[in-house]
Amino acid sequence: MGMTVAEKILARASGCATVVPGDVVEPRVDLAMSHENAALVINQFREVFEGTGFEARVWDPSRIAIILDHRVPAESAKTATNQKRIREFVGDQGIAKFHDIRADQGGICHQILAESGYVRPGMVVTGTDSHTTTHGALGSFAFGIGATEMASVWTLGAALNIEVPATIKVIARGELPDFVSAKDLIMHIVGKLSAEGANFRVLEFHGDTIRSMSTSGRLVLCNMAVEAGATAGIVPADAETLRYLHEVAHVTEPIDLVQPDDDAVYVETLEIDCAQLTYQIACPHTVDNVKAIDEVEGTPINQIVIGSCTNGRADDLAVAASILSGHRIADGVRMLVFPASWRIYKEAMKRGVISDLVEAGAVVMNPGCGCCLGVHQGALGDGEVALSTTNRNFLGRMGNAKAQVYLCSPAVAAASALTGRITRPTQGAKRDEHFEFPSTDNQACVEAW
Amino acid sequence: MTNTSNSPRPTTRLAWKLGDDVSTDIIYPGRYMATVLPTETPQYAFADLPELNKGLASGSIPRGSAILAGKNFGCGSSREQAASTLRGYDLAVIARGFARIFLQNAINLGLRTIVCPDIEANEGDELEIQDDRVVNITSGKSFAIIPLPASRQAIIDAGGLIPYTRQLLIQQRSAL
Ligand code: SF4
């Protein structure tokens, strides 16, 4: 029987010829990622070794990545102390893939993993973050785990007792209309599947829309696969994956483009006609409460947010700048922008994107998770409404359970910033002109970050 | 096999009913994530539902009580504090369904999670959680439990993922 990409990767990593959904395997882990919650992982990891007489050493320091991103720079003494403990642990254990709060290496964990070339097709990637699904965009099997499970991975180098999930095939066909983006597509899919529609399942993305989509868009799809409950989202690796890995991530290792078998078995197939798709908005307080924009157009907004591991890449900032350039955001509106990494920030700065945003009235914050999870920067006031390109709108997510969060694409966020209401993007130039930076020496790179 | 503790338990009282899709942002808000130790997390359980938070912290909801939720309990962030904060009160979480990462974290930490799709109960009802069903003693009805994945049993039997990993570590090292 043929296998899906997830099944192939899990079979190989577990030393099995084949696996089928429901099999219990113990795949070796190629990359184990944590952020500030490494502080808890360290605690649990030490506890594993307690009383064994063995020195607490991680199984392979070259396969562990730790990125400080959730509260950077530290908002409190407690966070700063956690971060200090992480730095000490990283030093003691010789963990190489460490990204501190610095403009020459920092950013949001999921962007750092992708742009640093840490992820390649066929890998098993675990992360103590639910959006670890992001890395399926590069053809890996990537899933989120808790801190204690990560302590177990750090100890043994394998994920224990993993049940092979069944796969849902998503086929997206047709050209996305102007300004309609990967974000609209995945919100539409989450709305169709519901927040638990893919629980314990994998979403494998196919179709000409996906084939012609840049890695930046594929990262958006896989990032939000978890919002339908999916264990992982996967785009089977192709020429675009190779381009990204070589040109942007500077990968030099051999790359194996793991493909699903022709006779792979899927539990469900979901087909989407992208040419018909319009702007989607996820309404409070669940990500699957998705509506076409005409149902909520005109809703007044207090705070616009562009950024996060979902939509803080160069093309996201560029499309926003193209809409805002030469205009000012509406009175009474605040606009916060947090690029997904310092590499993106600096590129956007060089190309004038940051100045376009700032001149329009946006506050550009340092790369990191910013206000996405409501721990510091950009909290909402009682009764306020945010429109955000992030990936979650749960009650209290942006730091206030008396506020509301709507989710949208960068183009809709920028267009809405100009009016102070949920607005469809018609101003600014067409997407095609602005997904390409003018006069770039390394155009492909920028486009796909 | 049906919950994270095999020992027979006395009956428990349903202390609180929640809806569908209760996210980890509600169970343990992001702003308290710098607090990581399982001994310290319980104080922030359901911090944005002040009445529930106070009930737990003050003991007016006794340790070992049950809470009931709809589908997809624990969706969203993978933060393990969401499991440890409830574990701290020794709660039994009965839900129509759980999100994958939360369920895994709960099992790893020994939080009792019971998947009971058809459960009907009101706050204050007395419940008896058996191996294969929840008996609502107050209403006299009983409801089938969906067993947790068999792959989890070894972890439950070992008393959680830390002791389980420790066993494997010792086996691995002594095989060298
Ligand atoms: S940007 Fe938001 S969703 Fe992404 S890793 Fe940070 S907190 Fe999580």
Short mmCIF file of all heavy atoms in Angstrom, two decimals, chain B residues 124-175:
data_model
loop_
_atom_site.label_atom_id
_atom_site.label_comp_id
_atom_site.label_asym_id
_atom_site.label_seq_id
_atom_site.Cartn_x
_atom_site.Cartn_y
_atom_site.Cartn_z
N GLY B 124 -22.64 20.47 40.24
CA GLY B 124 -23.12 19.95 41.51
C GLY B 124 -23.44 18.46 41.46
O GLY B 124 -23.55 17.82 42.51
N ASP B 125 -23.60 17.90 40.25
CA ASP B 125 -23.90 16.48 40.15
C ASP B 125 -22.74 15.64 40.70
O ASP B 125 -21.57 16.02 40.57
CB ASP B 125 -24.15 16.06 38.69
CG ASP B 125 -25.52 16.52 38.19
OD1 ASP B 125 -26.25 17.16 38.97
OD2 ASP B 125 -25.84 16.23 37.02
N GLU B 126 -23.12 14.50 41.27
CA GLU B 126 -22.10 13.58 41.78
C GLU B 126 -21.80 12.56 40.68
O GLU B 126 -22.71 11.96 40.11
CB GLU B 126 -22.63 12.88 43.04
CG GLU B 126 -21.54 12.26 43.85
CD GLU B 126 -22.09 11.52 45.08
OE1 GLU B 126 -23.32 11.60 45.33
OE2 GLU B 126 -21.30 10.85 45.75
N LEU B 127 -20.53 12.39 40.38
CA LEU B 127 -20.12 11.52 39.28
C LEU B 127 -19.21 10.41 39.80
O LEU B 127 -18.41 10.63 40.69
CB LEU B 127 -19.36 12.31 38.20
CG LEU B 127 -20.03 13.57 37.66
CD1 LEU B 127 -19.09 14.29 36.70
CD2 LEU B 127 -21.34 13.22 36.93
N GLU B 128 -19.36 9.26 39.19
CA GLU B 128 -18.43 8.19 39.49
C GLU B 128 -17.73 7.83 38.19
O GLU B 128 -18.38 7.46 37.20
CB GLU B 128 -19.17 6.97 40.05
CG GLU B 128 -18.22 5.90 40.54
CD GLU B 128 -18.96 4.66 41.05
OE1 GLU B 128 -20.15 4.76 41.40
OE2 GLU B 128 -18.34 3.60 41.04
N ILE B 129 -16.41 7.98 38.16
CA ILE B 129 -15.67 7.72 36.92
C ILE B 129 -15.15 6.29 36.97
O ILE B 129 -14.25 5.96 37.76
CB ILE B 129 -14.52 8.73 36.76
CG1 ILE B 129 -15.12 10.15 36.71
CG2 ILE B 129 -13.73 8.44 35.49
CD1 ILE B 129 -14.11 11.25 36.91
N GLN B 130 -15.77 5.44 36.19
CA GLN B 130 -15.33 4.04 36.13
C GLN B 130 -14.40 3.86 34.94
O GLN B 130 -14.13 4.79 34.20
CB GLN B 130 -16.55 3.13 36.00
CG GLN B 130 -17.53 3.29 37.16
CD GLN B 130 -18.72 2.36 37.04
OE1 GLN B 130 -18.92 1.73 36.01
NE2 GLN B 130 -19.52 2.30 38.10
N ASP B 131 -13.95 2.62 34.75
CA ASP B 131 -13.00 2.39 33.66
C ASP B 131 -13.59 2.67 32.29
O ASP B 131 -12.92 3.20 31.41
CB ASP B 131 -12.50 0.94 33.69
CG ASP B 131 -11.33 0.81 34.64
OD1 ASP B 131 -10.85 1.86 35.11
OD2 ASP B 131 -10.91 -0.33 34.91
N ASP B 132 -14.83 2.31 32.09
CA ASP B 132 -15.39 2.43 30.74
C ASP B 132 -16.58 3.38 30.67
O ASP B 132 -17.17 3.55 29.62
CB ASP B 132 -15.80 1.05 30.21
CG ASP B 132 -16.85 0.41 31.10
OD1 ASP B 132 -17.06 0.91 32.24
OD2 ASP B 132 -17.47 -0.58 30.68
N ARG B 133 -16.96 3.98 31.80
CA ARG B 133 -18.11 4.89 31.75
C ARG B 133 -18.05 5.89 32.90
O ARG B 133 -17.37 5.68 33.90
CB ARG B 133 -19.42 4.09 31.84
CG ARG B 133 -19.74 3.59 33.25
CD ARG B 133 -20.79 2.53 33.22
NE ARG B 133 -20.28 1.35 32.52
CZ ARG B 133 -21.03 0.40 32.00
NH1 ARG B 133 -22.34 0.49 32.06
NH2 ARG B 133 -20.49 -0.66 31.42
N VAL B 134 -18.79 6.98 32.67
CA VAL B 134 -19.02 7.93 33.75
C VAL B 134 -20.45 7.74 34.22
O VAL B 134 -21.37 7.81 33.40
CB VAL B 134 -18.81 9.39 33.28
CG1 VAL B 134 -19.15 10.36 34.41
CG2 VAL B 134 -17.39 9.61 32.80
N VAL B 135 -20.63 7.46 35.48
CA VAL B 135 -21.97 7.31 36.03
C VAL B 135 -22.35 8.62 36.71
O VAL B 135 -21.63 9.09 37.61
CB VAL B 135 -22.05 6.15 37.04
CG1 VAL B 135 -23.48 6.03 37.59
CG2 VAL B 135 -21.60 4.85 36.40
N ASN B 136 -23.43 9.22 36.25
CA ASN B 136 -23.94 10.41 36.92
C ASN B 136 -24.89 9.92 38.01
O ASN B 136 -26.04 9.55 37.75
CB ASN B 136 -24.66 11.31 35.91
CG ASN B 136 -25.10 12.62 36.55
OD1 ASN B 136 -25.33 12.68 37.76
ND2 ASN B 136 -25.20 13.65 35.74
N ILE B 137 -24.39 9.91 39.22
CA ILE B 137 -25.16 9.34 40.33
C ILE B 137 -26.41 10.18 40.59
O ILE B 137 -27.48 9.67 40.91
CB ILE B 137 -24.26 9.23 41.58
CG1 ILE B 137 -23.16 8.20 41.28
CG2 ILE B 137 -25.07 8.83 42.81
CD1 ILE B 137 -22.08 8.11 42.31
N THR B 138 -26.27 11.49 40.40
CA THR B 138 -27.40 12.38 40.64
C THR B 138 -28.57 12.09 39.68
O THR B 138 -29.72 12.04 40.09
CB THR B 138 -26.95 13.84 40.50
OG1 THR B 138 -25.80 14.03 41.33
CG2 THR B 138 -28.04 14.82 40.91
N SER B 139 -28.24 11.92 38.40
CA SER B 139 -29.33 11.71 37.42
C SER B 139 -29.61 10.23 37.18
O SER B 139 -30.62 9.88 36.57
CB SER B 139 -28.95 12.36 36.08
OG SER B 139 -27.93 11.61 35.44
N GLY B 140 -28.69 9.38 37.61
CA GLY B 140 -28.88 7.95 37.43
C GLY B 140 -28.50 7.45 36.04
O GLY B 140 -28.68 6.28 35.73
N LYS B 141 -27.97 8.33 35.20
CA LYS B 141 -27.60 7.90 33.85
C LYS B 141 -26.09 7.62 33.78
O LYS B 141 -25.31 8.18 34.56
CB LYS B 141 -27.93 8.99 32.84
CG LYS B 141 -29.41 9.24 32.67
CD LYS B 141 -29.64 10.21 31.51
CE LYS B 141 -31.09 10.65 31.46
NZ LYS B 141 -31.26 11.87 30.68
N SER B 142 -25.72 6.77 32.81
CA SER B 142 -24.28 6.57 32.64
C SER B 142 -23.89 6.74 31.17
O SER B 142 -24.71 6.54 30.27
CB SER B 142 -23.84 5.22 33.18
OG SER B 142 -24.27 4.19 32.35
N PHE B 143 -22.65 7.12 30.95
CA PHE B 143 -22.19 7.53 29.63
C PHE B 143 -20.85 6.87 29.32
O PHE B 143 -19.93 6.90 30.14
CB PHE B 143 -22.05 9.05 29.58
CG PHE B 143 -23.30 9.77 30.02
CD1 PHE B 143 -23.47 10.14 31.36
CD2 PHE B 143 -24.32 10.02 29.12
CE1 PHE B 143 -24.62 10.78 31.77
CE2 PHE B 143 -25.49 10.65 29.53
CZ PHE B 143 -25.65 11.04 30.86
N ALA B 144 -20.76 6.32 28.10
CA ALA B 144 -19.55 5.57 27.73
C ALA B 144 -18.35 6.49 27.57
O ALA B 144 -18.46 7.63 27.11
CB ALA B 144 -19.79 4.82 26.43
N ILE B 145 -17.19 5.96 27.95
CA ILE B 145 -15.92 6.67 27.80
C ILE B 145 -15.21 6.11 26.58
O ILE B 145 -15.23 4.90 26.35
CB ILE B 145 -15.05 6.43 29.05
CG1 ILE B 145 -15.60 7.20 30.25
CG2 ILE B 145 -13.61 6.80 28.79
CD1 ILE B 145 -14.87 6.89 31.56
N ILE B 146 -14.59 6.99 25.80
CA ILE B 146 -13.73 6.51 24.71
C ILE B 146 -12.34 6.31 25.30
O ILE B 146 -11.76 7.25 25.86
CB ILE B 146 -13.66 7.52 23.55
CG1 ILE B 146 -15.07 7.68 22.95
CG2 ILE B 146 -12.66 7.08 22.49
CD1 ILE B 146 -15.12 8.57 21.74
N PRO B 147 -11.80 5.10 25.18
CA PRO B 147 -10.50 4.87 25.79
C PRO B 147 -9.41 5.75 25.17
O PRO B 147 -9.49 6.09 24.00
CB PRO B 147 -10.20 3.39 25.50
CG PRO B 147 -11.40 2.83 24.86
CD PRO B 147 -12.31 3.94 24.46
N LEU B 148 -8.43 6.11 25.98
CA LEU B 148 -7.29 6.86 25.46
C LEU B 148 -6.50 5.95 24.52
O LEU B 148 -6.60 4.73 24.60
CB LEU B 148 -6.40 7.32 26.61
CG LEU B 148 -7.04 8.33 27.56
CD1 LEU B 148 -6.13 8.59 28.73
CD2 LEU B 148 -7.34 9.63 26.82
N PRO B 149 -5.69 6.53 23.62
CA PRO B 149 -4.91 5.69 22.71
C PRO B 149 -4.07 4.67 23.49
O PRO B 149 -3.47 5.01 24.51
CB PRO B 149 -4.00 6.69 22.00
CG PRO B 149 -4.67 8.01 22.16
CD PRO B 149 -5.46 7.94 23.42
N ALA B 150 -4.06 3.44 23.00
CA ALA B 150 -3.35 2.36 23.69
C ALA B 150 -1.87 2.70 23.87
O ALA B 150 -1.23 2.32 24.86
CB ALA B 150 -3.50 1.07 22.89
N SER B 151 -1.36 3.50 22.91
CA SER B 151 0.07 3.84 22.96
C SER B 151 0.43 4.64 24.21
O SER B 151 1.59 4.76 24.57
CB SER B 151 0.43 4.65 21.72
OG SER B 151 -0.43 5.77 21.63
N ARG B 152 -0.57 5.20 24.84
CA ARG B 152 -0.32 6.04 26.01
C ARG B 152 -0.22 5.24 27.30
O ARG B 152 0.21 5.76 28.33
CB ARG B 152 -1.47 7.06 26.17
CG ARG B 152 -1.66 7.94 25.00
CD ARG B 152 -0.60 9.01 24.97
NE ARG B 152 -0.11 9.15 23.62
CZ ARG B 152 1.14 9.41 23.32
NH1 ARG B 152 2.03 9.56 24.25
NH2 ARG B 152 1.51 9.52 22.07
N GLN B 153 -0.67 4.00 27.25
CA GLN B 153 -0.81 3.24 28.48
C GLN B 153 0.52 3.06 29.22
O GLN B 153 0.57 3.16 30.44
CB GLN B 153 -1.45 1.88 28.19
CG GLN B 153 -1.99 1.18 29.42
CD GLN B 153 -2.98 2.05 30.18
OE1 GLN B 153 -3.81 2.74 29.60
NE2 GLN B 153 -2.88 2.04 31.51
N ALA B 154 1.58 2.82 28.46
CA ALA B 154 2.88 2.60 29.10
C ALA B 154 3.30 3.82 29.91
O ALA B 154 3.88 3.70 30.99
CB ALA B 154 3.93 2.28 28.04
N ILE B 155 2.98 5.00 29.38
CA ILE B 155 3.34 6.24 30.08
C ILE B 155 2.50 6.38 31.35
O ILE B 155 3.01 6.71 32.42
CB ILE B 155 3.13 7.46 29.14
CG1 ILE B 155 4.11 7.38 27.96
CG2 ILE B 155 3.30 8.77 29.90
CD1 ILE B 155 3.84 8.36 26.85
N ILE B 156 1.21 6.09 31.21
CA ILE B 156 0.32 6.17 32.37
C ILE B 156 0.78 5.18 33.44
O ILE B 156 0.90 5.52 34.62
CB ILE B 156 -1.14 5.87 31.96
CG1 ILE B 156 -1.63 6.98 31.02
CG2 ILE B 156 -2.04 5.74 33.18
CD1 ILE B 156 -2.92 6.66 30.29
N ASP B 157 1.08 3.95 33.00
CA ASP B 157 1.49 2.91 33.94
C ASP B 157 2.78 3.28 34.68
O ASP B 157 2.96 2.91 35.84
CB ASP B 157 1.68 1.57 33.21
CG ASP B 157 0.35 1.01 32.72
OD1 ASP B 157 -0.70 1.50 33.18
OD2 ASP B 157 0.36 0.10 31.87
N ALA B 158 3.65 3.99 33.98
CA ALA B 158 4.93 4.36 34.61
C ALA B 158 4.75 5.53 35.58
O ALA B 158 5.68 5.88 36.30
CB ALA B 158 5.95 4.72 33.54
N GLY B 159 3.58 6.16 35.56
CA GLY B 159 3.33 7.28 36.45
C GLY B 159 3.65 8.62 35.82
O GLY B 159 3.88 9.61 36.50
N GLY B 160 3.71 8.64 34.48
CA GLY B 160 3.98 9.89 33.79
C GLY B 160 5.20 9.77 32.90
O GLY B 160 5.93 8.77 32.94
N LEU B 161 5.41 10.80 32.10
CA LEU B 161 6.48 10.70 31.10
C LEU B 161 7.88 10.82 31.71
O LEU B 161 8.82 10.22 31.19
CB LEU B 161 6.29 11.77 30.01
CG LEU B 161 7.26 11.67 28.83
CD1 LEU B 161 7.13 10.33 28.10
CD2 LEU B 161 7.05 12.81 27.84
N ILE B 162 8.01 11.55 32.80
CA ILE B 162 9.35 11.68 33.38
C ILE B 162 9.84 10.32 33.89
O ILE B 162 10.92 9.87 33.49
CB ILE B 162 9.40 12.79 34.46
CG1 ILE B 162 9.35 14.16 33.74
CG2 ILE B 162 10.66 12.68 35.32
CD1 ILE B 162 9.39 15.36 34.63
N PRO B 163 9.08 9.64 34.74
CA PRO B 163 9.54 8.30 35.15
C PRO B 163 9.68 7.31 33.98
O PRO B 163 10.60 6.49 33.97
CB PRO B 163 8.48 7.81 36.13
CG PRO B 163 7.47 8.88 36.25
CD PRO B 163 7.89 10.07 35.47
N TYR B 164 8.81 7.44 33.00
CA TYR B 164 8.88 6.55 31.83
C TYR B 164 10.20 6.77 31.07
O TYR B 164 10.91 5.83 30.73
CB TYR B 164 7.68 6.82 30.93
CG TYR B 164 7.57 5.89 29.74
CD1 TYR B 164 7.38 4.52 29.91
CD2 TYR B 164 7.64 6.39 28.43
CE1 TYR B 164 7.26 3.66 28.81
CE2 TYR B 164 7.53 5.53 27.34
CZ TYR B 164 7.34 4.18 27.53
OH TYR B 164 7.23 3.34 26.46
N THR B 165 10.51 8.04 30.83
CA THR B 165 11.77 8.36 30.13
C THR B 165 12.96 7.90 30.96
O THR B 165 13.95 7.38 30.42
CB THR B 165 11.86 9.87 29.85
OG1 THR B 165 10.73 10.26 29.08
CG2 THR B 165 13.12 10.24 29.10
N ARG B 166 12.86 8.09 32.27
CA ARG B 166 13.95 7.68 33.16
C ARG B 166 14.20 6.17 33.03
O ARG B 166 15.35 5.73 32.90
CB ARG B 166 13.63 8.07 34.60
CG ARG B 166 14.80 7.91 35.55
CD ARG B 166 14.40 8.26 36.97
NE ARG B 166 14.06 9.66 37.14
CZ ARG B 166 12.99 10.11 37.81
NH1 ARG B 166 12.13 9.24 38.34
NH2 ARG B 166 12.77 11.40 37.93
N GLN B 167 13.12 5.40 33.02
CA GLN B 167 13.25 3.93 32.83
C GLN B 167 13.98 3.61 31.53
O GLN B 167 14.90 2.78 31.50
CB GLN B 167 11.87 3.27 32.72
CG GLN B 167 11.13 3.07 34.03
CD GLN B 167 9.69 2.59 33.77
OE1 GLN B 167 9.35 2.15 32.67
NE2 GLN B 167 8.86 2.67 34.80
N LEU B 168 13.57 4.29 30.46
CA LEU B 168 14.17 4.02 29.15
C LEU B 168 15.64 4.43 29.13
O LEU B 168 16.49 3.76 28.54
CB LEU B 168 13.41 4.74 28.04
CG LEU B 168 11.98 4.26 27.79
CD1 LEU B 168 11.31 5.09 26.71
CD2 LEU B 168 11.95 2.78 27.40
N LEU B 169 15.92 5.55 29.79
CA LEU B 169 17.29 6.04 29.87
C LEU B 169 18.18 4.99 30.56
O LEU B 169 19.27 4.66 30.08
CB LEU B 169 17.33 7.36 30.64
CG LEU B 169 18.70 7.91 31.02
CD1 LEU B 169 19.43 8.43 29.78
CD2 LEU B 169 18.57 9.04 32.05
N ILE B 170 17.67 4.47 31.66
CA ILE B 170 18.46 3.49 32.42
C ILE B 170 18.66 2.22 31.58
O ILE B 170 19.77 1.69 31.50
CB ILE B 170 17.77 3.19 33.78
CG1 ILE B 170 17.85 4.43 34.67
CG2 ILE B 170 18.41 1.99 34.47
CD1 ILE B 170 16.97 4.40 35.91
N GLN B 171 17.59 1.79 30.91
CA GLN B 171 17.71 0.62 30.02
C GLN B 171 18.75 0.86 28.93
O GLN B 171 19.60 0.02 28.66
CB GLN B 171 16.38 0.34 29.32
CG GLN B 171 15.39 -0.46 30.15
CD GLN B 171 14.02 -0.46 29.48
OE1 GLN B 171 13.89 -0.28 28.28
NE2 GLN B 171 12.99 -0.65 30.28
N GLN B 172 18.66 2.04 28.33
CA GLN B 172 19.57 2.39 27.23
C GLN B 172 21.02 2.38 27.70
O GLN B 172 21.89 1.79 27.07
CB GLN B 172 19.18 3.79 26.74
CG GLN B 172 19.53 4.10 25.31
CD GLN B 172 19.12 5.55 24.97
OE1 GLN B 172 19.58 6.51 25.61
NE2 GLN B 172 18.25 5.71 23.99
N ARG B 173 21.25 2.99 28.87
CA ARG B 173 22.63 3.09 29.36
C ARG B 173 23.16 1.73 29.81
O ARG B 173 24.34 1.44 29.63
CB ARG B 173 22.71 4.07 30.54
CG ARG B 173 22.37 5.49 30.20
CD ARG B 173 23.46 6.13 29.33
NE ARG B 173 23.01 7.43 28.83
CZ ARG B 173 23.33 8.61 29.39
NH1 ARG B 173 24.11 8.65 30.44
NH2 ARG B 173 22.88 9.72 28.89
N SER B 174 22.28 0.91 30.37
CA SER B 174 22.80 -0.38 30.85
C SER B 174 23.00 -1.35 29.69
O SER B 174 23.70 -2.34 29.82
CB SER B 174 21.89 -0.98 31.92
OG SER B 174 20.56 -0.97 31.49
N ALA B 175 22.40 -1.04 28.53
CA ALA B 175 22.61 -1.88 27.36
C ALA B 175 23.93 -1.56 26.67
O ALA B 175 24.41 -2.33 25.84
CB ALA B 175 21.46 -1.71 26.37
#
